[in-house]
Amino acid sequence: MSGIVRLMDVVKDYPLGKVTVHALRKVNLTIDKGEFTVIAGPSGSGKTTLLNLIGCIDVATAGEVLVDGKSTGKLTDKQLTSLRLNSIGFIFQSFNLINVLDIRQNVEFPLLLQGGLSKAERQARVDDVVDKVGLRQFASQRPNELSGGQRQRVAIARALVTRPAIVLADEPTANLDSTTGTQIIDLMKEINHQDHTTFIFSTHDEKVMKRADRVVRILDGMLEAAGLSESRGPSESGGEQVHA
Amino acid sequence: MSATLGVLIQMALRNLVVHRVKTGVVGLIMFFGTFLVVSGTAMLDSIRGSMEKSITSSLSGDIQVYSSEAEDALALFGSMGMSTPDIGEIDEFKPLRETLLEVEGVKAVVPMGIAMATVFGGTEIDRVLSDLRVATRDADAEGTAMRVEQLVQIAERMRKDVAMAAKASSEPEKTQDQLASLDRVLAPGFGADLAADPSGTLDWLDNKVAPIAADGRMLYLRNIGTNLDTFPQTFDRFRLVDGELVPPGQRGILLSKAFYEKQAKNFVARELDKIKKSLDQGKTIAEDAVVSELVARTATQYQRIQFQLSPKDAVIVTERLRTKLGRTDGDLAALLQEFLKMDDANFADRYAWFYQEIAPRVRLYEIPVGEEVTLRSFTKSGYIRAVNVKVYGTFEFSGLETSDLAGANNLVDMMTFRSLYGKMTDDQLDELADIKASSGVKQVSRDNAEDALFGGGGSLEAETTTAGAGFDEFAGLTLGAAATAGALDTTQYTTAQMEDGLALTAAVVLDEGGDVPAAIERIEAAAKAKGLAVQAVGWETASGIVGQIVMVLQVVLYTAIFIIFLVALVIINNTMVMATMERTTEIGTMRAIGAQRPFVIVLFLVETMVLGAIAGGLGAGAGALFITWLNHVGVPAVADALVLLFAGPRLYPVFTSGNLAFGMGSILAISALSTLYPSVLAARVLPVVAMQAKE
Ligand SMILES: Nc1ncnc2c1ncn2[C@@H]1O[C@H](COP(=O)(O)OP(=O)(O)OP(=O)(O)O)[C@@H](O)[C@H]1O
Ligand SMILES: [Mg+2]
């Protein structure tokens, strides 16, 4: 059984007053290690819901979600949290940095939660990722002193610092202008190439989609039929994606 | 771990800076709370310390031992209640003393008893009547005329009082009768009546007129019976003021100086003292309404001097007052009134003149030092006992001179105490048995037994007054022959005779620095081993009203602390709940990227506790500074009762590390407690909210 992420007949319902919103309906999906995957779909289609399940911050109503070989439905809150801490990096649409901490501290934060590393080791790791995202000279500034693109780079650094198996990003470019957005995607892509970190991110931006190795399309909580909805190929040839 | 804590504290500090308003409000409350706890407990501890000094070294000793059959709690300085508490009896003091002296750490044991007594101070009318008797007997026409004149003046004043009281009287017949009697004195023919039948008229005056004024002329004395030979050494605050100590083996009474000055002194002199005290405190007659009223009232009481002067002295004082006031005429009454009309300019001069010229010529104290006094008391069975003792002197407890509470007790020897208390000795019981046998009376109850023994000449069938009877009845009885005091007892007693026998308590003084609770345990164990039915209590409990004052202070302080902490609790709780809601994205993000619930709880706890530590630390520091400042300047004992608590006119409080630790400990506990709910609320924030966040 391969695949760092596997979803089998996954259903997610949200009770909304008297009605039930079917956010995901029997979704089946396998994502392999090292893939650079885009979840694409219009607003309300279920992208965030899908990422929540993969990111272990929510559990499925039915079906099975396997992350790094663990079935999330069977885990306690504590175990889920620990799985998130150790196996998953998060990049949010609104950056979600801790405003009272400086850049270096924001990036170091997950390492402190993990524990186990010496101060020097943490220092080295933080410097490494901060360099990688090109923010060395901003390391001791606070998030609100930075631009949106810079903040998202910090978020990327924070997501990478624990060397997670999977990095999840929910519309990471939605709050950025298109040039900056492209730069962010390129940065993620580059890291994917270098470290073979698995990236899964959602977007409804066609330009972003073009950079992906693989595009998974979602509509009304259902993935479009494999082969039709999915396209694989090098991002360089993103423009030649088969689409319906 | 420490790195995580470091970041937590850093986050807490920065969050505190970011949320300045919240920090300010909560911090201020924490500051005041801690300030109050530190300075309040330091004050209370200081008061307790000073009180211990004043109480243990003046009256109670470290421990009081009394009967375990006591119905009420021991209250050496008096209790809040009106009735005399039943503290049981120690029938034989000797075995108890011997047992106590064997207990480790006990330095001295002193017997004590409490007995209330009254002294019939006598009214002006009594004095005038007795002078009148002498004058008529000696056929001194001039003296008689002068006393009659005084009598008429007194009767005029009394008539006004009675007429005033009649409006509210529940006994109209009695007041009518009183008015009729006074009217007879005021009638023009009264002088002739007196001349015609001096002894009959004088008896009528004694029986009908004098009692009208009898109310309120009683002095109430609270007496502590003790071994007067050892008391001054054992209680080192004791200081003799006037007169001498009671000679060893003799019976006698030492009056408290405070009682003597405030109760037994001539009314006018007492009022003048009060005015002087007020002026010494910086008040003025012109500006202070209370003082000016005091002056006005004093002037109306001139008769209390006028009627006390002998005819010869009256002439001298009249003459000197004329010179003093620059008058060529005017009678004594008018001159005295003018003299007593005092203002800020002449008060000091008049005060000095009063003590120089007038005081030596009047009875300045109702109970003069060196004279014999008749103490009367209700015994337990309601019978009135009367004992004559010599007033040897007055005393005070150094440092507590102005304290009414410390001065509430007078000291009598144990023999006198036993007489006042009314417990029968074995001899008396034997005597009673003899009376019973010889008289052939059917039954001598315990109630009328005393009557048989002490009721000078009264028959066995004599009515017995019931316990707790009103004072009117008492006053009436004192005029009759029911309680006669007998001659002054000048027998030389041995220490054993004085000490052994009935006592109510034993005051135990421990060696320097003795541990009171431990000693109480040892004492109770030793007493139990000897089969003595006694209980031991510490000075604080034994002191009664004073201990209660400290308890009240304690309750007030802790209530204030409780309230301010409750307010702090609610406010911190509310602001932290609001902070939690404002910070859900941040919390959700932390949870999403891998923070466990306890981390979130600790994050919030640390935040309030860091604030608690800072604001509390500042508050504790301010409290310590405040106490240091008070220590420098001293807290004045503004009320007399405070003198006892402060062990002197000023309290110089100190703080201890214990006060600081208690202050810090409680503010940190409050911080933790108040953040518990908000932090649990925060821990419940779901990680998904991180995904829903919008810029
Ligand atoms: N907590 C929730 N309670 C009720 N319904 C929800 C909840 N979260 C999402 N939904 C519903 O589930 C469906 C999928 O929502 P989801 O947020 O996954 O869509 P999305 O593709 O991320 O959309 P968008 O592009 O607007 O972010 C939507 O119809 C949405 O209204
Ligand atoms: Mg979404």
Side-chain angles (χ1 to χ4, degrees):
Chain A
M1 207 163 50
S2 68
I4 188 124
V5 174
R6 275 178 65 121
L7 278 76
M8 287 167 289
D9 293 334
V10 169
V11 172
K12 181 69 187 177
D13 293 339
Y14 289 113
L16 193 72
K18 277 179 186 158
V19 298
T20 304
V21 179
H22 304 290
L24 292 179
R25 317 167 191 234
K26 292 223 176 215
V27 168
N28 286 286
L29 177 67
T30 303
I31 292 169
D32 290 327
K33 204 165 164 23
E35 273 192 317
F36 194 76
T37 308
V38 161
I39 313 284
S43 187
S45 56
K47 304 184 293 291
T48 302
T49 307
L50 188 58
L51 288 179
N52 283 350
L53 296 185
I54 298 169
C56 305
I57 60 179
D58 208 347
V59 287
T61 312
E64 198 172 8
V65 178
L66 288 170
V67 176
D68 214 359
K70 294 187 184 80
S71 179
T72 63
K74 297 192 182 85
L75 301 180
T76 61
D77 177 74
K78 195 176 164 189
Q79 290 167 322
L80 285 172
T81 306
S82 149
L83 188 58
R84 291 197 296 272
L85 176 61
N86 296 309
S87 304
I88 301 164
F90 284 92
I91 298 162
F92 304 95
Q93 185 179 333
S94 312
F95 324 132
N96 295 21
L97 299 174
I98 299 169
N99 284 323
V100 294
L101 299 181
D102 66 22
I103 303 313
R104 182 174 275 115
Q105 287 171 319
N106 262 287
V107 175
E108 190 188 18
F109 193 77
L111 294 180
L112 289 171
L113 292 176
Q114 278 185 326
L117 290 185
S118 74
K119 194 176 174 187
E121 286 169 322
R122 289 198 308 269
Q123 194 73 38
R125 284 255 205 129
V126 170
D127 287 346
D128 184 42
V129 287
V130 169
D131 277 351
K132 212 173 257 176
V133 299
L135 288 177
R136 171 150 249 187
Q137 74 265 41
F138 299 103
S140 46
Q141 287 186 314
R142 299 271 187 97
N144 50 11
E145 293 165 330
L146 304 184
S147 70
Q150 287 168 326
R151 287 191 217 183
Q152 201 57 305
R153 283 162 190 268
V154 177
I156 292 168
R158 180 176 66 182
L160 292 173
V161 78
T162 56
R163 296 178 182 161
I166 310 156
V167 173
L168 297 177
D170 190 20
E171 304 198 36
T173 60
N175 283 322
L176 303 173
D177 62 72
S178 86
T179 329
T180 318
T182 313
Q183 282 168 359
I184 290 292
I185 298 297
D186 286 346
L187 175 64
M188 297 206 296
K189 183 90 211 225
E190 198 184 312
I191 292 161
N192 168 256
H193 266 270
Q194 277 173 16
D195 307 338
H196 305 290
T197 311
T198 312
F199 275 86
I200 305 169
F201 60 97
S202 70
T203 190
H204 49 240
D205 182 349
E206 289 295 333
K207 254 170 49 198
V208 171
M209 279 178 240
K210 285 180 187 158
R211 311 246 159 190
D213 291 344
R214 179 186 176 196
V215 177
V216 175
R217 293 196 180 268
I218 184 166
L219 191 67
D220 286 339
M222 285 184 286
L223 298 191
E224 291 182 8
L228 286 175
S229 65
E230 278 191 44
S231 56
R232 283 177 199 240
S235 61
E236 290 80 12
S237 59
E240 300 156 26
Q241 274 175 0
V242 184
H243 192 246
Chain B
M1 191 62 221
S2 67
T4 313
L5 194 67
V7 167
L8 278 174
I9 290 174
Q10 206 167 357
M11 284 175 73
L13 283 171
R14 291 183 182 168
N15 271 317
L16 290 175
V17 174
V18 170
H19 306 277
R20 281 177 209 91
V21 176
K22 182 205 87 176
T23 306
V25 171
V26 174
L28 211 65
I29 295 171
M30 288 172 158
F31 175 89
F32 274 119
T34 321
F35 174 82
L36 188 71
V37 173
V38 170
S39 52
T41 55
M43 278 297 283
L44 205 66
D45 288 352
S46 301
I47 289 175
R48 194 192 300 273
S50 61
M51 201 179 101
E52 176 172 7
K53 262 191 269 166
S54 61
I55 289 179
T56 56
S57 61
S58 65
L59 206 58
S60 75
D62 298 299
I63 294 168
Q64 283 273 327
V65 178
Y66 64 112
S67 170
S68 52
E69 276 151 34
E71 300 264 329
D72 304 306
L74 176 62
L76 275 186
F77 288 90
S79 63
M80 294 278 194
M82 290 300 286
S83 62
T84 316
D86 175 1
I87 56 162
E89 287 158 4
I90 296 167
D91 290 323
E92 278 302 326
F93 186 70
K94 191 176 172 188
L96 178 63
R97 182 189 55 216
E98 284 165 356
T99 308
L100 292 176
L101 282 173
E102 276 169 22
V103 174
E104 185 201 329
V106 171
K107 194 166 109 186
V109 179
V110 181
M112 280 187 184
I114 305 167
M116 307 298 293
T118 56
V119 170
F120 188 60
T123 55
E124 279 92 25
I125 194 165
D126 289 316
R127 223 158 278 133
V128 168
L129 288 180
S130 76
D131 289 348
L132 185 59
R133 225 174 247 282
V134 173
T136 52
R137 191 189 59 207
D138 299 348
D140 168 7
E142 195 190 335
T144 304
M146 180 172 174
R147 294 304 174 191
V148 169
E149 191 193 317
Q150 288 183 345
L151 182 63
V152 168
Q153 283 169 344
I154 293 170
E156 266 170 7
R157 198 182 65 195
M158 280 163 69
R159 199 189 184 288
K160 256 186 241 160
D161 291 347
V162 173
M164 185 91 83
K167 288 174 195 152
S169 174
S170 57
E171 299 167 291
E173 280 164 35
K174 188 175 158 193
T175 46
Q176 280 312 312
D177 196 37
Q178 288 176 343
L179 287 174
S181 301
L182 291 168
D183 284 339
R184 184 182 161 198
V185 178
L186 295 170
F190 182 70
D193 286 359
L194 182 69
D197 176 14
S199 78
T201 312
L202 279 165
D203 284 349
W204 176 82
L205 283 168
D206 272 342
N207 291 322
K208 282 289 197 178
V209 180
I212 302 175
D215 300 11
R217 296 308 303 162
M218 213 73 72
L219 288 177
Y220 298 92
L221 280 77
R222 193 169 195 276
N223 303 295
I224 300 283
T226 188
N227 182 336
L228 292 178
D229 303 339
T230 54
F231 189 92
Q233 286 106 54
T234 314
F235 297 97
D236 55 19
R237 282 196 175 231
F238 174 94
R239 202 164 65 79
L240 190 76
V241 185
D242 307 303
E244 53 178 327
L245 288 173
V246 177
Q250 285 291 310
R251 294 179 64 163
I253 183 167
L254 293 174
L255 295 172
S256 147
K257 183 69 178 169
F259 164 85
Y260 202 56
E261 289 297 319
K262 292 199 175 116
Q263 312 262 344
K265 204 171 192 177
N266 174 284
F267 184 84
V268 173
R270 213 194 308 164
E271 297 297 284
L272 288 172
D273 290 347
K274 253 192 244 173
I275 297 167
K276 182 167 190 300
K277 192 178 163 194
S278 297
L279 297 188
D280 287 348
Q281 286 169 357
K283 294 173 186 162
T284 62
I285 300 170
E287 280 162 37
D288 192 297
V290 178
V291 183
S292 69
E293 205 192 301
L294 209 57
V295 172
R297 200 177 66 204
T298 308
T300 64
Q301 301 298 315
Y302 65 95
Q303 287 170 319
R304 301 204 190 216
I305 295 167
Q306 183 193 352
F307 301 143
Q308 285 212 359
L309 293 168
S310 69
K312 228 197 297 163
D313 282 334
V315 173
I316 298 171
V317 171
T318 306
E319 214 165 86
R320 298 207 175 155
L321 271 175
R322 279 184 189 155
T323 319
K324 173 84 189 153
L325 299 170
R327 295 263 178 272
T328 48
D329 55 3
D331 64 3
L332 182 58
L335 288 165
L336 277 172
Q337 284 183 74
E338 191 188 335
F339 176 78
L340 291 173
K341 282 206 185 73
M342 297 163 297
D343 55 37
D344 290 305
N346 66 21
F347 179 81
D349 176 56
R350 299 268 163 103
Y351 182 84
W353 202 86
F354 174 86
Y355 275 101
Q356 193 190 323
E357 298 290 343
I358 298 177
R361 295 185 167 86
V362 295
R363 203 176 158 86
L364 195 56
Y365 295 96
E366 300 271 12
I367 318 168
V369 167
E371 279 186 24
E372 204 179 302
V373 67
T374 303
L375 300 177
R376 290 184 175 82
S377 75
F378 272 118
T379 64
K380 290 183 80 182
S381 50
Y383 194 79
I384 296 158
R385 303 286 299 269
V387 185
N388 280 344
V389 280
K390 185 175 165 186
V391 179
Y392 276 92
T394 66
F395 72 95
E396 63 193 11
F397 294 117
S398 64
L400 309 177
E401 294 83 356
T402 56
S403 164
D404 281 337
L405 277 168
N409 294 302
N410 303 292
L411 295 175
V412 296
D413 65 276
M414 287 304 286
M415 290 282 177
T416 303
F417 153 70
R418 287 185 199 116
S419 309
L420 291 172
Y421 186 76
K423 180 92 172 177
M424 279 175 285
T425 62
D426 287 345
D427 285 351
Q428 288 167 336
L429 283 172
D430 288 347
E431 195 186 327
L432 179 65
D434 289 346
I435 295 170
K436 230 160 98 177
S438 63
S439 65
V441 166
K442 337 100 200 184
Q443 185 79 49
V444 180
S445 73
R446 198 177 169 85
D447 275 0
N448 56 27
E450 291 175 3
D451 198 353
L453 286 169
F454 311 112
S459 78
L460 275 182
E461 287 84 15
E463 273 178 53
T464 47
T465 13
T466 40
F471 278 104
D472 272 342
E473 199 168 353
F474 190 6
L477 276 166
T478 55
L479 296 171
T484 47
L488 189 67
D489 180 5
T490 54
T491 317
Q492 182 68 28
Y493 291 99
T494 63
T495 306
Q497 283 171 316
M498 282 287 195
E499 279 213 353
D500 300 344
L502 177 82
L504 298 190
T505 81
V508 176
V509 178
L510 300 179
D511 293 329
E512 197 65 44
D515 176 2
V516 172
I520 287 178
E521 263 175 43
R522 287 197 297 273
I523 286 172
E524 293 201 322
K528 203 170 172 197
K530 291 272 167 64
L532 300 169
V534 293
Q535 54 182 318
V537 294
W539 58 271
E540 212 173 353
T541 319
S543 58
I545 197 164
V546 185
Q548 290 163 26
I549 289 174
V550 166
M551 252 188 27
V552 168
L553 284 178
Q554 207 162 346
V555 168
V556 168
L557 175 67
Y558 284 115
T559 310
I561 290 174
F562 178 79
I563 289 172
I564 194 156
F565 276 166
L566 200 70
V567 169
L569 206 76
V570 171
I571 291 185
I572 299 173
N573 180 75
N574 286 359
T575 48
M576 288 309 280
V577 166
M578 272 160 59
T580 309
M581 304 217 267
E582 277 169 22
R583 284 156 67 181
T584 46
T585 304
E586 187 188 312
I587 300 162
T589 303
M590 289 185 202
R591 293 278 289 124
I593 64 178
Q596 296 285 1
R597 285 188 166 142
F599 178 88
V600 176
I601 294 179
V602 171
L603 176 74
F604 274 73
L605 279 181
V606 164
E607 198 173 309
T608 344
M609 288 180 72
V610 163
L611 180 56
I614 296 170
L618 290 173
L625 269 178
F626 178 62
I627 294 296
T628 309
W629 175 73
L630 287 181
N631 181 279
H632 211 67
V633 298
V635 185
V638 283
D640 281 351
L642 287 179
V643 176
L644 186 63
L645 296 184
F646 290 1
R650 267 170 192 275
L651 177 73
Y652 298 94
V654 290
F655 67 90
T656 61
S657 54
N659 300 132
L660 294 178
F662 182 63
M664 287 307 287
S666 40
I667 198 65
L668 289 178
I670 287 297
S671 304
L673 210 64
S674 58
T675 319
L676 223 52
Y677 174 70
S679 61
V680 167
L681 214 59
R684 285 205 203 127
V685 170
L686 295 171
V688 279
V689 303
M691 296 294 248
Q692 292 152 357
K694 296 275 170 285
E695 260 289 83

PDB file of all heavy atoms in Angstrom, chain A residues 33-34 37-38 46 80 88 122 125 137 143 145 225:
ATOM      1  N   LYS A  33       4.343  10.262  -1.815  1.00  0.00           N
ATOM      2  CA  LYS A  33       5.401  11.056  -1.201  1.00  0.00           C
ATOM      3  C   LYS A  33       6.132  11.849  -2.269  1.00  0.00           C
ATOM      4  O   LYS A  33       6.393  11.349  -3.371  1.00  0.00           O
ATOM      5  CB  LYS A  33       6.385  10.106  -0.517  1.00  0.00           C
ATOM      6  CG  LYS A  33       7.189  10.719   0.592  1.00  0.00           C
ATOM      7  CD  LYS A  33       7.831   9.612   1.422  1.00  0.00           C
ATOM      8  CE  LYS A  33       8.945  10.065   2.328  1.00  0.00           C
ATOM      9  NZ  LYS A  33       9.052  11.403   2.754  1.00  0.00           N
ATOM     10  N   GLY A  34       6.376  13.109  -1.959  1.00  0.00           N
ATOM     11  CA  GLY A  34       7.133  13.950  -2.869  1.00  0.00           C
ATOM     12  C   GLY A  34       6.309  14.608  -3.951  1.00  0.00           C
ATOM     13  O   GLY A  34       6.846  15.379  -4.749  1.00  0.00           O
ATOM     14  N   THR A  37       0.963  18.640  -5.307  1.00  0.00           N
ATOM     15  CA  THR A  37      -0.417  18.469  -5.744  1.00  0.00           C
ATOM     16  C   THR A  37      -1.259  19.709  -5.466  1.00  0.00           C
ATOM     17  O   THR A  37      -1.170  20.298  -4.390  1.00  0.00           O
ATOM     18  CB  THR A  37      -1.053  17.267  -5.019  1.00  0.00           C
ATOM     19  OG1 THR A  37      -0.209  16.142  -5.166  1.00  0.00           O
ATOM     20  CG2 THR A  37      -2.445  16.972  -5.544  1.00  0.00           C
ATOM     21  N   VAL A  38      -2.074  20.040  -6.447  1.00  0.00           N
ATOM     22  CA  VAL A  38      -3.018  21.140  -6.279  1.00  0.00           C
ATOM     23  C   VAL A  38      -4.424  20.573  -6.183  1.00  0.00           C
ATOM     24  O   VAL A  38      -4.783  19.679  -6.944  1.00  0.00           O
ATOM     25  CB  VAL A  38      -2.931  22.124  -7.467  1.00  0.00           C
ATOM     26  CG1 VAL A  38      -4.193  22.973  -7.542  1.00  0.00           C
ATOM     27  CG2 VAL A  38      -1.722  23.005  -7.350  1.00  0.00           C
ATOM     28  N   GLY A  46     -15.326  22.302  -1.515  1.00  0.00           N
ATOM     29  CA  GLY A  46     -14.867  21.348  -0.500  1.00  0.00           C
ATOM     30  C   GLY A  46     -13.370  21.263  -0.370  1.00  0.00           C
ATOM     31  O   GLY A  46     -12.843  20.357   0.276  1.00  0.00           O
ATOM     32  N   LEU A  80      -3.829  13.147  17.416  1.00  0.00           N
ATOM     33  CA  LEU A  80      -3.967  13.941  16.185  1.00  0.00           C
ATOM     34  C   LEU A  80      -3.043  15.154  16.235  1.00  0.00           C
ATOM     35  O   LEU A  80      -2.363  15.483  15.258  1.00  0.00           O
ATOM     36  CB  LEU A  80      -5.417  14.407  16.006  1.00  0.00           C
ATOM     37  CG  LEU A  80      -6.431  13.358  15.547  1.00  0.00           C
ATOM     38  CD1 LEU A  80      -7.843  13.926  15.614  1.00  0.00           C
ATOM     39  CD2 LEU A  80      -6.125  12.900  14.120  1.00  0.00           C
ATOM     40  N   ILE A  88       3.091  17.104   9.729  1.00  0.00           N
ATOM     41  CA  ILE A  88       2.436  18.043   8.820  1.00  0.00           C
ATOM     42  C   ILE A  88       2.891  19.479   9.068  1.00  0.00           C
ATOM     43  O   ILE A  88       3.065  19.892  10.213  1.00  0.00           O
ATOM     44  CB  ILE A  88       0.896  17.959   8.968  1.00  0.00           C
ATOM     45  CG1 ILE A  88       0.436  16.528   8.657  1.00  0.00           C
ATOM     46  CG2 ILE A  88       0.189  18.946   8.042  1.00  0.00           C
ATOM     47  CD1 ILE A  88      -0.946  16.214   9.119  1.00  0.00           C
ATOM     48  N   ARG A 122      18.339  23.901  17.317  1.00  0.00           N
ATOM     49  CA  ARG A 122      17.174  24.683  16.886  1.00  0.00           C
ATOM     50  C   ARG A 122      17.624  25.895  16.090  1.00  0.00           C
ATOM     51  O   ARG A 122      17.082  26.204  15.023  1.00  0.00           O
ATOM     52  CB  ARG A 122      16.364  25.149  18.105  1.00  0.00           C
ATOM     53  CG  ARG A 122      15.609  24.057  18.819  1.00  0.00           C
ATOM     54  CD  ARG A 122      14.508  24.641  19.699  1.00  0.00           C
ATOM     55  NE  ARG A 122      14.985  25.681  20.607  1.00  0.00           N
ATOM     56  CZ  ARG A 122      15.412  25.449  21.852  1.00  0.00           C
ATOM     57  NH1 ARG A 122      15.424  24.220  22.336  1.00  0.00           N
ATOM     58  NH2 ARG A 122      15.830  26.437  22.595  1.00  0.00           N
ATOM     59  N   ARG A 125      18.591  24.923  12.572  1.00  0.00           N
ATOM     60  CA  ARG A 125      17.416  24.599  11.756  1.00  0.00           C
ATOM     61  C   ARG A 125      16.688  25.871  11.325  1.00  0.00           C
ATOM     62  O   ARG A 125      16.300  26.022  10.174  1.00  0.00           O
ATOM     63  CB  ARG A 125      16.438  23.752  12.569  1.00  0.00           C
ATOM     64  CG  ARG A 125      16.881  22.335  12.714  1.00  0.00           C
ATOM     65  CD  ARG A 125      16.046  21.456  11.804  1.00  0.00           C
ATOM     66  NE  ARG A 125      16.045  20.120  12.356  1.00  0.00           N
ATOM     67  CZ  ARG A 125      14.948  19.415  12.582  1.00  0.00           C
ATOM     68  NH1 ARG A 125      13.774  19.921  12.315  1.00  0.00           N
ATOM     69  NH2 ARG A 125      15.039  18.215  13.082  1.00  0.00           N
ATOM     70  N   GLN A 137      17.677  38.758   6.708  1.00  0.00           N
ATOM     71  CA  GLN A 137      17.829  40.089   7.296  1.00  0.00           C
ATOM     72  C   GLN A 137      16.597  40.569   8.068  1.00  0.00           C
ATOM     73  O   GLN A 137      16.641  41.571   8.762  1.00  0.00           O
ATOM     74  CB  GLN A 137      18.247  41.130   6.233  1.00  0.00           C
ATOM     75  CG  GLN A 137      17.154  41.547   5.289  1.00  0.00           C
ATOM     76  CD  GLN A 137      17.193  40.718   3.998  1.00  0.00           C
ATOM     77  OE1 GLN A 137      17.409  39.495   4.015  1.00  0.00           O
ATOM     78  NE2 GLN A 137      17.001  41.376   2.863  1.00  0.00           N
ATOM     79  N   PRO A 143       6.103  40.096  12.682  1.00  0.00           N
ATOM     80  CA  PRO A 143       5.332  39.857  11.458  1.00  0.00           C
ATOM     81  C   PRO A 143       4.677  41.114  10.880  1.00  0.00           C
ATOM     82  O   PRO A 143       4.672  41.300   9.668  1.00  0.00           O
ATOM     83  CB  PRO A 143       4.269  38.856  11.910  1.00  0.00           C
ATOM     84  CG  PRO A 143       4.906  38.131  13.038  1.00  0.00           C
ATOM     85  CD  PRO A 143       5.794  39.124  13.719  1.00  0.00           C
ATOM     86  N   GLU A 145       5.630  43.920  10.673  1.00  0.00           N
ATOM     87  CA  GLU A 145       6.563  44.828  10.009  1.00  0.00           C
ATOM     88  C   GLU A 145       6.874  44.362   8.588  1.00  0.00           C
ATOM     89  O   GLU A 145       7.643  45.002   7.879  1.00  0.00           O
ATOM     90  CB  GLU A 145       7.874  44.922  10.813  1.00  0.00           C
ATOM     91  CG  GLU A 145       7.678  45.589  12.168  1.00  0.00           C
ATOM     92  CD  GLU A 145       8.851  45.387  13.126  1.00  0.00           C
ATOM     93  OE1 GLU A 145       9.520  44.343  13.026  1.00  0.00           O
ATOM     94  OE2 GLU A 145       9.087  46.270  13.937  1.00  0.00           O
ATOM     95  N   ALA A 225     -13.875  12.496 -12.070  1.00  0.00           N
ATOM     96  CA  ALA A 225     -13.366  11.154 -12.391  1.00  0.00           C
ATOM     97  C   ALA A 225     -11.891  11.172 -12.750  1.00  0.00           C
ATOM     98  O   ALA A 225     -11.417  12.060 -13.466  1.00  0.00           O
ATOM     99  CB  ALA A 225     -14.150  10.557 -13.563  1.00  0.00           C
TER     100      ALA A 225
END
